[in-house]
Amino acid sequence: DTGVSQDPRHKITKRGQNVTFRCDPISEHNRLYWYRQTLGQGPEFLTYFQNEAQLEKSRLLSDRFSAERPKGSFSTLEIQRTEQGDSAMYLCASSAGTGGYNEQFFGPGTRLTVL
Amino acid sequence: AQSVTQLGSHVSVSEGALVLLRCNYSSSVPPYLFWYVQYPNQGLQLLLKYTSAATLVKGINGFEAEFKKSETSFHLTKPSAHMSDAAEYFCAVRTTDSWGKLQFGAGTQVVVTP
């Protein structure tokens, strides 16, 4: 068990470009979450997958954002036509189980800077 | 809806002194509460959690927190600060939906001075 991994760790892009981030959860964790963290704030929920199904999307997730989790394994988060306001740390977390309390394990995050 | 409020965005503490980080929650149902720590350029690491068992919860690195329903609080303490405790600390509440997503506070940055 190597923990949750995210790639890339840092991404610098120009406004208007598309970016894609990848998250590899702990193997056999069926729950996967994406959060966004801006400077000086706590993480904010973006979206949730149970296996391959995307079950909830936050209002923070505009139509420029899309997330997938094919085959219930790794997940990708794509931002189209990036804006400076998208600059943030994007965190992925995974947990096991389908009910009750299950600890979320966080990855190191992808820091996005939009110039 | 659940929410947490962390009092104090920055706390400075001397090495060896008590660390006290304040968290108040709002929840319509018995909450699950968490404290996470984040070191620079890293993800979040779980320090401890309250899941309706013992009200005094012990976590890693010598931290503990006490759930007080009457005060709707879940303050984090450590008797003696170490330089390695310098980090950002987040209080979080688990939402009541089935997905288990977390609602975080704004965080408290801890600085430890020699």
Side-chain angles (χ1 to χ4, degrees):
Chain A
D1 182 355
T2 57
V4 179
S5 61
Q6 294 186 243
D7 183 70
R9 293 290 307 276
H10 303 273
K11 179 69 177 179
I12 300 174
T13 191
K14 294 182 179 180
R15 188 178 56 181
Q17 297 295 304
N18 298 343
V19 295
T20 300
F21 310 141
R22 176 180 171 123
C23 170
D24 286 272
I26 294 172
S27 58
E28 299 182 358
H29 275 190
N30 61 330
R31 293 182 165 187
L32 188 146
Y33 308 81
W34 284 98
Y35 294 85
R36 182 173 68 185
Q37 184 180 19
T38 53
L39 199 61
Q41 297 297 318
E44 297 173 294
F45 169 77
L46 290 179
T47 190
Y48 163 70
F49 288 87
Q50 185 161 306
N51 299 311
E52 67 277 7
Q54 187 175 20
L55 298 184
E56 185 175 354
K57 292 168 57 175
S58 162
R59 285 173 292 178
L60 294 175
L61 218 61
S62 74
D63 56 6
R64 296 185 297 107
F65 289 71
S66 63
E68 295 181 340
R69 192 184 182 197
K71 302 179 181 179
S73 55
F74 70 92
S75 177
T76 58
L77 178 67
E78 180 183 15
I79 308 175
Q80 297 182 327
R81 305 180 303 282
T82 53
E83 302 174 355
Q84 289 185 328
D86 297 330
S87 295
M89 174 80 88
Y90 290 83
L91 295 166
C92 176
S94 70
S95 70
T98 56
Y101 163 70
N102 290 287
E103 177 184 346
Q104 292 185 28
F105 293 84
F106 282 81
T110 295
R111 182 168 296 282
L112 173 66
T113 302
V114 181
L115 302 177
Chain B
Q2 288 68 40
S3 66
V4 292
T5 301
Q6 292 184 241
L7 301 177
S9 59
H10 288 81
V11 168
S12 182
V13 60
S14 299
E15 190 175 18
L18 171 72
V19 180
L20 170 60
L21 305 182
R22 301 179 185 274
C23 173
N24 287 88
Y25 70 90
S26 172
S27 178
S28 56
V29 298
Y32 286 176
L33 295 161
F34 308 84
W35 275 101
Y36 282 86
V37 61
Q38 185 177 35
Y39 298 100
N41 298 314
Q42 294 188 27
L44 281 71
Q45 180 182 9
L46 182 67
L47 278 176
L48 48 80
K49 59 184 183 284
Y50 168 76
T51 57
S52 74
T55 56
L56 183 61
V57 181
K58 295 187 182 299
I60 62 172
N61 302 340
F63 284 93
E64 64 181 36
E66 186 172 8
F67 173 74
K68 291 187 177 180
K69 183 178 179 181
S70 61
E71 299 178 7
T72 61
S73 68
F74 190 55
H75 301 332
L76 181 71
T77 61
K78 182 174 180 178
S80 177
H82 190 272
M83 296 299 290
S84 61
D85 295 326
E88 190 150 24
Y89 293 79
F90 294 94
C91 183
V93 62
R94 182 185 184 275
T95 59
T96 56
D97 58 45
S98 301
W99 318 143
K101 63 181 183 282
L102 300 174
Q103 179 77 37
F104 287 87
T108 299
Q109 184 72 46
V110 172
V111 174
V112 183
T113 57

